[in-house]
Amino acid sequence: MNLKISKVKQKLKNGEACFGTMLRILKSPQAVPMCASEGWDYVLLDTEHNDYDYETLGNFCALAKYEEMALFVRVPDKLYHQMAQMLDIGAEGLVLPQVKTREETERIIRSTKYAPLGKRGVSISSTVTLFRDYDIEIYTTWANEELMTVVQIESEEGMANLVDIVATPGVDAIMIGPADLSDDMGIPGQIHHPRMESAFREVIRQCDIYGVAPGIHLNNLDDVKKWRAEGMRFITYSYDTKFFKDASREALQSLRSFG
C-alpha cells in the first residue's frame, strides 16, 4: 500500500475548486465513508470549538486512509505540539485559526514540515503508513509534499499582513473565517458588508498572485455561488449539525402539511 496522495492538493494546483464540509459533533468514524460516499473532496474536523478527543481523531484518520476524500483538522491554536501531534495521529492537513503575521506563518511551516523545509520532529506514524514499513527519507519527503497547510485569515491584522502571509513558502490555501473577521471589523455577522466583500476580493487577488488557493467557510449556497464565480477555490460548506437541522426542519414542515 502506497502513502496517500493528496487529490485536494493536485486539484488546487491545477486551478480547480475543492469542496468540503465541517464536522463538529459526529464522533463515529463511520462519518468518514459516509461523507466520502457523497463525493466531498474533504472533511474538516473542528477541534478549535468542539470536543474531539485524540482517540476519536485517530480512528477518523485511520479510516480516511482507505478513502480518496481528504481529512483535515482545525487545531485549537498554532502551538507546536498541537500541530505536529495532529499530523502524527494521521491528519492529512491542518487548518490554522487566527493567523495574523508572517512570523506566525513561518512558525507554522517550521512546525509542520520536516527538514530541510522545517523543524518538525521525525516519527513515522503507524496510522499514516497503516503499519507498513517506510524509509525515513521517503516518509518525510512524502509528508512535505502531500500534507496540506491551510491558514485562516480572521482579523483586520491578518488582512493588513495578507501579502506577507500568502507569500510564505509552504502555505497551500487560505480559508477566510467570515464570522471572526466580521466580528473583528465591528460588523459581526455582516458578511455582505462592503468591507467584508472587499476583504474577500483582496484575498482572492493576492492568492492568485502567489499561487495559493483562496478559500472561505460559508453556510449559504447563494454565497457559495457568488464567491466561487469570483475565484474562491477551497470552499468549506456548512457543517454536520446545520445539515441535520435544515433537513429536519424541511421534513417536519412537509410532514405537518399532511394534517
Side-chain angles (χ1 to χ4, degrees):
M1 179 172 288
N2 295 323
L3 293 166
K4 186 174 177 181
I5 302 301
S6 176
K7 291 189 177 296
V8 171
K9 262 202 172 186
Q10 289 179 340
K11 290 179 71 173
L12 293 176
K13 286 180 179 179
N14 290 336
E16 300 174 59
C18 289
F19 298 96
T21 191
M22 183 178 287
L23 302 184
R24 293 181 170 180
I25 65 165
L26 286 178
K27 301 297 174 61
S28 169
Q30 294 177 36
V32 172
M34 180 184 71
C35 291
S37 73
E38 298 306 313
W40 291 103
D41 292 303
Y42 64 91
V43 291
L44 171 57
L45 301 186
D46 182 17
T47 70
E48 181 187 10
H49 299 298
N50 299 284
D51 59 347
Y52 286 101
D53 60 34
Y54 287 132
E55 181 177 0
T56 300
L57 291 167
N59 290 336
F60 268 79
C61 291
L63 198 49
K65 298 298 174 283
Y66 297 95
E67 299 286 354
E68 289 189 358
M69 182 188 72
L71 187 143
F72 304 140
V73 175
R74 178 160 69 178
V75 294
D77 201 354
K78 304 164 290 294
L79 303 175
Y80 173 81
H81 71 279
Q82 292 178 344
M83 293 184 281
Q85 185 177 30
M86 205 57 62
L87 295 175
D88 286 337
I89 287 173
E92 294 161 17
L94 300 181
V95 175
L96 295 312
Q98 293 287 351
V99 178
K100 298 177 180 178
T101 65
R102 184 182 180 102
E103 290 73 23
E104 285 184 330
T105 313
E106 290 174 340
R107 188 170 70 249
I108 288 166
I109 301 303
R110 286 196 301 271
S111 299
T112 58
K113 299 292 185 183
Y114 292 116
L117 303 179
K119 298 292 184 180
R120 179 183 166 193
V122 178
S123 176
I124 295 182
S125 166
S126 297
T127 300
V128 172
T129 62
L130 295 174
F131 294 90
R132 275 65 171 183
D133 295 324
Y134 282 92
D135 178 82
I136 287 178
E137 185 176 4
I138 291 174
Y139 179 84
T140 56
T141 299
W142 164 85
N144 281 350
E145 292 177 351
E146 299 299 329
L147 299 180
M148 286 276 294
T149 303
V150 181
V151 301
Q152 287 202 266
I153 301 296
E154 303 185 275
S155 66
E156 290 193 284
E157 184 179 358
M159 284 301 305
N161 293 312
L162 177 63
V163 174
D164 288 338
I165 292 169
V166 174
T168 304
V171 174
D172 296 301
I174 298 293
M175 191 175 89
I176 299 168
D180 280 315
L181 181 57
S182 63
D183 190 64
D184 194 63
M185 286 183 170
I187 46 174
Q190 299 181 49
I191 70 168
H192 304 119
H193 192 283
R195 290 172 60 201
M196 288 288 287
E197 295 199 347
S198 176
F200 295 172
R201 292 188 178 101
E202 183 63 10
V203 168
I204 294 169
R205 190 174 77 87
Q206 293 300 334
C207 282
D208 288 347
I209 291 172
Y210 288 96
V212 173
I216 192 167
H217 185 194
L218 295 168
N219 298 318
N220 180 283
L221 285 174
D222 289 336
D223 291 333
V224 172
K225 182 179 180 180
K226 171 183 173 63
W227 291 108
R228 173 66 195 106
E230 295 210 24
M232 293 290 186
R233 295 193 291 113
F234 184 81
I235 298 174
T236 304
Y237 176 69
S238 200
Y239 45 92
D240 50 10
T241 51
K242 190 173 189 304
F243 275 123
F244 181 79
K245 285 169 65 66
D246 288 349
S248 295
R249 185 180 302 112
E250 181 180 348
L252 192 55
Q253 286 174 348
S254 296
L255 290 168
R256 287 179 171 156
S257 70
F258 301 152

